[in-house]
Amino acid sequence: MTSMLVLAMALSLPDPPIPSNMKEMECAIHELAFQYGSRYPDKIPVMNPNSLSDALNLWNCSGTVPQKNAKPAKDLISPPSDARNSWFVDTKRGSDAIGKGSIDSPWRSVTHALAHLPTMSDRRTLFLREGTYYLNETISLTAAHSKLTISAYISDKGTEKVTLSGAGGVVTGWNCSNLLPDCKVYEAKVDLPKRGENLAPEVVNQLFANGKRMIRAKYPNADPAVTEGHCFSKPQFANEKCNWLTSTGGNTAQDPGRLVGSVALGPNRGNSPTVGCGKECNSTCATFSFNIYDPPAGHPVYNKPLPGMGWNNNSLFSRFPSPFGRPADMGVAKGDLPRQWKKPSTGIVHTFHSLLWGGWMYRIKDRQDLNITLAYGGYQEARGAQMKTNHYYVENLIEELDVPSEWFFDEDTDTVYLYPNSTEGGFPEVTIPTLDTLISVKDAHDVVIQGLTITQTRATFMEQYEVPSGGDWSIHRGAAVYIEDSHRINVTGCEFIETGGNAVILSNNVTFSHIESNEFYRTGDSGIVSLGMTNGINGMAATYPMNNTIAFNHMHEYGVYGKQTSCYFQSLTANSTVFGNICYNGPRAGFNYNDGFGGAYQMSQNLLFNHVRETADHGAFNSWDRQPYLTRSGVDDGFPDSVKLGLKGSSIVKAQSHITQNFIINGYSGVWAVDHDDGSQFYNDSSNFMVWGGCKNFLGHSKSCDHNLIVYPGIPNRANGARRCQTDDNGVFANQYFYDNQCITGDGIFYTFAKCTTTNLPETVYQTFNNQFYSPKTTFVENCGQNLSFSEWQKLGQDRGSNVTETMSLQEILSTAREKLNF
């Protein structure tokens, strides 16, 4: 049972009143956010100077305000400090046959250049000259390419525009098709890779026209990458609506023969097919890898209180009987899907978890009228459930190709169909990605990738996913730029545009690397992923990312396909620094930490807003920590090594993590600004500016929410659930603090404590003190089994040194926010 369900059963809060000057206040706060997001013009890249102000809806305030001095990513890079050992590639005028790699006689392809670079101990630079590089194979960097910089060419005139495309080339030979009358649809014969046996994921799943992602033939008609193509779970502004809402229903009973949850619980849940795929799938598609472990029976680390702390360090995941249950089929509403499909098995269903915890995609097996039988899928989210009634769409069905921008690839006839927006001025340049990864870095060190535009990779949402730890999210271990077991790798000044899946991944032993000053736009899944691996509870091996920095990135409109995605996702990671990023417009949490692992996370000075737009029960920041690990990155836990699998120097206690000086605006279906979910521990949330949402705790221990400014948490149309300054959803924890905060509400209700009664305060309520509360007429009400006044609340030992005063003025809010954020 999740925190939201627990809380719903425990109490029902009235919606807090909306401030009387709501529009003025929201405009002023958004203008402050615009200034906060514009404070590093020489570090944070901007493709479109209006994108930030548009996302903040400043057009509804003082009007759209372009960011001054905004620069694209490529203009933020600097020439290599030592360019003596430089070689050149030019896709337009170079030659692999006779080129020498010099600026006057460049090579033509990057892969040829890498094979012919001389070996030396000094740093080398490979400059790419202006143009689009259509790749037929991944650029693979290994140990032999250590101390290599791959850079767009920088001249006195600036940095040249260099694009890497995962499409092998341009599709030609277009002719009118008889698919629709009046030559609306064109067709071309192509020689493209085919998918594996039967229902395996198709290779061709994205198509671009003049560099813009087109829409795979779908019902209902809408672009999933733009506002009118989103089904917001809770629209926030007048121009947002789901004008193609359709709903699933009918038979959504779970089929025991298709439940991944039927896999026996145990120390290692192993790899499990989502349908028992058999001949339906090739050897890798549709597998769902688990890395979730129950405590070893009788292990002292797990069944005794930690020395000096007094709480039992139990795995919380064990209380869920099945990590993944799924429906066998789905029904749709009468009137939906008016066309019959000759070959339903080409189709893909996109729908949602019943509680909107994420998105699901399924291969269609068959269709009978309004009932669709599902093949594999649903593993793009880790918890599973029945489907219930939620919106959906279907794609990749030739009968649904009926409006401009749609396309379909018929594998049986090697024919691609396109309904172009226009053919005036000539037929558009059409490209079809065939690569998942454009650059791979493995076993290398001191590599720099800078100044490149990386685009047009395959969508990966039907490929293999894994559940790396005890959080709710699953993840595909892949990306357009794949970095694994490497050190001091810098990716800077790049643009990641409309990648089909994740843009960048740090996989396993990646250390002291920097992903900085990049822009991520309309990624199919997450922007940046940091993902390790363990041997059960043993996280001692060097198989996880550590000491990496994610800074000054501009990430927006992520999660076009995957709906359990984020700007930045980490799992089995230690000592990460996330600093100075701008992250907005996404379906779920902006930053998600799937576990605590070794801890020592630093998250500061980021701007997060417009999250949880298509899902629910989440915050702009979200963490879990259901499952403990033995690592060498934690702090002394007081146990001897002999009771910790004999692992010398291991610790079950993660190092303290800090979330500080972030500007977080809750909205849409977000419940909290900072959501510490099941079992999160050792977090200090301090000096943040939280708007329309506050702090949340569910289980876990050793956390503080302190020195924050929290403004009108839980108000309708900007938050779900009416949760206030601090939410506590449970009655079992230790060392929880809420102190030295400033919080404003419109009705004097400041806490949401699910199990509070006047007789159990020491066990079930935060340690609250030295807070400054603001409300009209200095009202204070605490619903603790009965309504308590402020003096009655203090007599119970809570909020010692706290005060309640009249509501802050708008100018006081803005000036206090600046003080908190130090800008």
Side-chain angles (χ1 to χ4, degrees), residues 81 338 478 641 659 816:
S81 57
D641 295 335
I659 298 176
T816 304

Side-chain angles (χ1 to χ4, degrees), residues 128-150:
L128 309 188
R129 300 303 303 269
E130 185 172 9
T132 298
Y133 292 72
Y134 295 107
L135 304 181
N136 290 302
E137 58 182 310
T138 298
I139 297 170
S140 296
L141 305 180
T142 63
H145 303 107
S146 295
K147 293 187 178 181
L148 174 66
T149 295
I150 297 181

Side-chain angles (χ1 to χ4, degrees), residues 127 141 190 202 216 228 263 318 322 339 419 429 471 516 549 554 561 735 771:
F127 283 114
L141 305 180
V190 292
E202 63 281 349
R216 197 153 59 157
E228 59 269 21
V263 178
S318 59
S322 168
R339 299 183 179 91
Y419 193 146
E429 182 179 271
E516 293 188 3
T549 299
H554 185 185
Y561 299 129
N735 301 330
N771 296 295

Side-chain angles (χ1 to χ4, degrees), residues 208-214 422 424 426-431 456:
F208 291 76
N210 291 337
K212 183 180 184 299
R213 178 194 277 138
M214 296 290 100
S422 172
E424 293 184 11
F427 200 81
E429 182 179 271
V430 176
T431 51
Q456 300 183 16

